Amino acid sequence: EVQLVESGGGSVQPGGSLRLSCAASGFIFRNYAMSWVRQAPGKGLEWVSSISSISIGVGSTTYADSVKGRFTISRDNAKNTLYLQMNSLKPEDTAVYYCAKHSGAYYYTIRSYTSDQGTQVTVSS
């Protein structure tokens, strides 16, 4: 059974930083692309970033324009953990953040499973 458990959320002031983690189990983590998505209050699910399962050079990660240059996605296959380093946070980054597993190794495959737990990030002065 696929399990994805997020942690690391919290409340920060604009300009601050947070590092989110997603602990994965129930599947061979290193073989699958992973993503972060978020849902702001009253809005739909928004894709944030994705990472392929293997290094394919400059194409191994991808970001939404709204977070490019501020967020960094990474993974530790030895720990079965996905990360999202978020810097220069803005109030519009306030949302519940979820991690998701893809159906294949590359980030352009579909997201086949999304966590239903999430971690809350609130950016406010």
Side-chain angles (χ1 to χ4, degrees):
E1 178 187 1
V2 173
Q3 287 196 334
L4 301 172
V5 180
E6 301 91 343
S7 61
S11 295
V12 295
Q13 294 185 339
S17 297
L18 283 173
R19 188 195 195 201
L20 305 184
S21 298
C22 172
S25 62
F27 64 102
I28 303 174
F29 178 75
R30 65 179 181 272
N31 287 352
Y32 292 90
M34 299 292 294
S35 284
W36 288 98
V37 296
R38 66 186 181 185
Q39 187 165 26
K43 296 188 177 181
L45 211 58
E46 177 191 17
W47 168 74
V48 175
S49 181
S50 300
I51 184 168
S52 293
S53 71
I54 58 175
S55 174
I56 54 173
V58 296
S60 62
T61 61
T62 185
Y63 299 91
D65 287 343
S66 58
V67 307
K68 198 173 294 182
R70 300 187 297 120
F71 290 11
T72 302
I73 190 171
S74 62
R75 63 192 298 160
D76 185 335
N77 290 334
K79 295 182 178 180
N80 289 349
T81 302
L82 177 73
Y83 301 102
L84 186 67
Q85 178 67 45
M86 306 187 296
N87 299 329
S88 302
L89 283 162
K90 304 175 180 180
E92 50 264 43
D93 294 319
T94 295
V96 179
Y97 285 71
Y98 302 89
C99 60
K101 169 187 173 291
H102 284 241
S103 61
Y106 291 89
Y107 61 67
Y108 50 74
T109 58
I110 64 169
R111 295 195 303 268
S112 57
Y113 180 88
T114 302
S115 165
D116 59 3
Q117 175 189 318
T119 187
Q120 175 72 48
V121 171
T122 303
V123 185
S124 173
S125 55

